Amino acid sequence: FNVMNNSNLVVCHLERNMAQLMAANPKHENKMHKIEEEKHDVNKAIDEIETVSDVQDIVEVKQKVKSVDT
Amino acid sequence: SNEQMTAAERLVPAGLKALCDAYSRLYPEQPNPLQVTTRLKYWLGGQDPLDYISMYWNPGKSEENIPPHWHYVSFGLSDLHGDGRVHPEGGLESGYGLELTLRLEAAGPAPLWPATLLQALARYVFTTGNKFCAGDHISWHAPLDGDSESRVRHLLVAEDPQLPAIETPHGTVKFIQMVGCTGRELKAAQRGSGFDVLKLIAEDPRCGGSWLVTRARRASARKVRSARTGTAPALLAGVS
């Protein structure tokens, strides 16, 4: 039942609340896992992009060095 | 069953479990207390920051004038989940580093008004970022139990006498007890020290004993009343 006109507050026993929490937690864990996976994918993509640009930078530097030599 | 236990332990968040364990150590004979809980949790947009408030029956100690009472203990000002959904991760303290308690003398079933009171106090902490410390006083300006005849209309803040601070995987948690007080006691705390007034309340056998049990219907502690006419020590304490 509602507590003192606050419809958001209800009275239950601890065991029931913990059972509800445990039932809800895998969903939350799955959601968090998906978010982590997405973050990981984004980071991986960024890493790859950085790697490509690094290679390009190195190539550019080498070319500049060569041009100076010549 | 080991696998089931591991799954259960994994599914009950570590901060929440640490609080459950602390409360269970004090009340091992009450493994399944009644709780006031929230339908819409705070991290999902609810207005009530305390996910749970457990209500334990405490027989008190008649030989020390500590009456039988209900002991309300909160879950939510500290970090229950440790995943950043409510509190920032990291730091020495878990969340705000405290949980609220209140002891209420009552013969029948646990009254529910302390739950709304603790939710309102927790909302203040979340809204302002100000924490409660032992010795503080809170001007409430209304009977705590909603009974217009009650003189207990304000709060003093103490450390819970039976719940020492704990270490959790997310940091330390102190247990801060709210103690109902009269307008006269509030004024005395404002003039001088909250700790002194708490001491006077604890020493008056009519006022709830050394565990500072709130009695909704009581007069001011005796020595606080007499201190009203002789306020010099309290005033001097502020001058020095």
Side-chain angles (χ1 to χ4, degrees), chain B residues 93-201:
Chain B
E93 292 179 329
S94 173
Y96 286 105
L98 70 141
E99 290 293 349
L100 301 179
T101 75
L102 186 146
R103 295 166 187 268
L104 179 68
E105 181 186 35
L112 300 179
W113 61 261
T116 54
L117 177 70
L118 295 183
Q119 288 287 7
L121 295 169
R123 210 173 294 125
Y124 166 82
V125 174
F126 272 88
T127 307
T128 64
N130 298 330
K131 301 182 204 177
F132 297 116
C133 299
D136 286 351
H137 49 78
I138 301 165
S139 308
W140 193 254
H141 297 295
L144 301 183
D145 62 352
D147 178 353
S148 61
E149 289 183 24
S150 174
R151 292 182 191 176
V152 176
R153 295 172 178 228
H154 308 282
L155 294 159
L156 298 175
V157 183
E159 283 179 12
D160 192 292
Q162 288 187 295
L163 287 168
I166 58 166
E167 285 295 332
T168 78
H170 310 313
T172 57
V173 181
K174 284 182 186 171
F175 297 96
I176 297 295
Q177 183 172 313
M178 297 293 149
V179 182
C181 74
T182 66
R184 188 166 293 172
E185 289 159 353
L186 176 78
K187 280 179 189 167
Q190 288 169 334
R191 284 197 303 260
S193 156
F195 289 110
D196 289 345
V197 180
L198 286 169
K199 188 166 178 288
L200 293 175
I201 291 172

Side-chain angles (χ1 to χ4, degrees), chain B residues 42-96:
Chain B
Y42 194 65
W43 70 88
L44 294 173
Q47 297 299 305
D48 303 293
L50 303 173
D51 284 1
Y52 310 99
I53 296 165
S54 289
M55 301 177 283
Y56 290 97
W57 174 248
N58 189 313
K61 277 187 180 179
S62 57
E63 66 275 19
E64 294 180 30
N65 295 310
I66 299 168
H69 58 274
W70 288 101
H71 194 185
Y72 300 78
V73 294
S74 77
F75 299 76
L77 279 167
S78 65
D79 193 349
L80 306 181
H81 301 275
D83 58 7
R85 73 175 78 175
V86 179
H87 300 282
E89 294 172 73
L92 296 174
E93 292 179 329
S94 173
Y96 286 105

